[in-house]
Amino acid sequence: MAVVNQTLALMEAHAQSCDNIRKQYTCACPRNYQGKRCEIFHPRVKSCQSYIDLKPESESGVYNLNDTVQTYCDFDSEAGKVWTLIQSFSLENKAFYKREPFYFNFPRNETRFNWNDFRVSYQAMVNIRDNSTHWRVTCNFPSGLDFTDYARATLQATDLLTFVNQDRCRKFEYISVRGQSCTDCSGMIVQRDTQHMHTDSYWSGRNGCFWDPRIGSVVGEDNFGFYNTINTQHSCTKNSLSTTQWWLGAGL
């Protein structure tokens, strides 16, 4: 009888421990899973590239990065590239962005994405940059990718976050303003403590850069940002509702 009682006592103790597993055990879930029984698939992603890695058939649209940041992922507009949006603003909102270089922490609507007034935080930008190889600038996305006003460069050539207080000719893979373009060439890039990153099509060739789109430019014309002086022939500054997008991206 003593043996039976002892066995029953052990069984009861075991049952009690299973009834309250939270206090007894810590679950070690596989990567991208969480929950009491690791039943929830919840990836923590730093850039849009992570979504393609997890699900290659992912479609372009608004996605969450690391739970809090909401942005747009472009998987389709350029073959072989995945782009994560880091900033988008309309010309009527240029005053908010004019004097905010990318190395400043300046989040705008980071948790409620919209095309007219949006920028991720500096830390989110670092996370995205560390999973990217390129950056690009577009106008009026997602209405369609227009290479008439477009720029793309490698982070190796120019890192948006470390190009500080400079005004220099830097290499682009491709750059075009008002249809005046060049490939694998140097063009003017400006970014200062008081100036958002941009190019200046009026001064680029005059400052010794290979890209020289001064034909059709206005004196001091700013493109892709800052916009102290605008040209309505540039798609990003055609009217108050025109938008400018900056992206970080990588190959598939």
Side-chain angles (χ1 to χ4, degrees):
M1 182 64 70
V3 173
V4 172
N5 290 338
Q6 184 178 12
T7 301
L8 290 173
L10 289 172
M11 292 175 63
E12 183 180 357
H14 178 71
Q16 290 175 350
S17 67
C18 289
D19 287 340
N20 194 7
I21 62 173
R22 186 181 300 174
K23 293 184 179 180
Q24 299 295 326
Y25 303 101
T26 300
C27 292
C29 296
R31 183 182 179 186
N32 298 319
Y33 286 84
Q34 60 179 284
K36 292 181 179 179
R37 297 173 180 82
C38 302
E39 75 279 13
I40 303 172
F41 179 66
H42 186 77
R44 296 185 62 80
V45 296
K46 293 184 176 181
S47 74
C48 296
Q49 180 68 41
S50 299
Y51 279 104
I52 287 293
D53 292 340
L54 291 165
K55 188 178 179 182
E57 65 273 23
S58 295
E59 297 181 353
S60 297
V62 177
Y63 287 80
N64 289 327
L65 307 181
N66 287 345
D67 298 330
T68 56
V69 178
Q70 192 177 73
T71 191
Y72 190 90
C73 294
D74 173 21
F75 304 127
D76 305 308
S77 70
E78 293 187 85
K81 287 285 192 298
V82 173
W83 295 103
T84 304
L85 185 69
I86 59 172
Q87 179 182 273
S88 180
F89 66 96
S90 61
L91 185 61
E92 64 182 356
N93 286 323
K94 72 171 185 176
F96 295 119
Y97 296 87
K98 183 176 181 179
R99 304 191 185 283
E100 300 293 339
F102 284 119
Y103 50 85
F104 282 4
N105 185 40
F106 184 66
R108 297 279 298 180
N109 297 313
E110 189 178 39
T111 60
R112 46 178 181 169
F113 169 74
N114 72 80
W115 293 103
N116 294 317
D117 187 5
F118 169 80
R119 178 158 151 176
V120 300
S121 65
Y122 177 81
Q123 185 56 58
M125 214 174 290
V126 169
N127 293 339
I128 299 167
R129 188 272 313 270
D130 290 347
N131 202 29
S132 301
T133 57
H134 291 71
W135 56 265
R136 74 171 181 179
V137 198
T138 62
C139 299
N140 303 312
F141 202 91
S143 62
L145 192 59
D146 183 1
F147 289 98
T148 300
D149 291 288
Y150 172 95
R152 185 181 67 243
T154 67
L155 285 164
Q156 184 177 10
T158 307
D159 188 331
L160 280 64
L161 304 185
T162 61
F163 190 76
V164 178
N165 281 322
Q166 295 187 57
D167 178 343
R168 298 179 61 187
C169 298
R170 302 303 289 260
K171 184 178 180 180
F172 286 86
E173 284 190 345
Y174 180 81
I175 184 169
S176 179
V177 169
R178 294 173 277 97
Q180 299 191 54
S181 64
C182 68
T183 302
D184 292 329
C185 61
S186 65
M188 185 176 179
I189 298 181
V190 182
Q191 184 169 228
R192 301 189 180 282
D193 289 348
T194 58
Q195 296 185 22
H196 184 283
M197 194 168 187
H198 66 284
T199 188
D200 190 321
S201 56
Y202 178 79
W203 288 109
S204 183
R206 289 176 169 87
N207 282 358
C209 304
F210 182 85
W211 179 60
D212 187 1
R214 74 181 76 181
I215 298 175
S217 67
V218 300
V219 178
E221 177 182 339
D222 304 311
N223 309 112
F224 305 126
F226 187 46
Y227 296 143
N228 190 56
T229 302
I230 66 170
N231 185 345
T232 57
Q233 299 304 307
H234 177 50
S235 299
C236 288
T237 54
K238 186 175 182 179
N239 57 57
S240 63
L241 299 180
S242 299
T243 58
T244 304
Q245 292 79 39
W246 284 78
W247 312 73
L248 287 167
L252 291 172

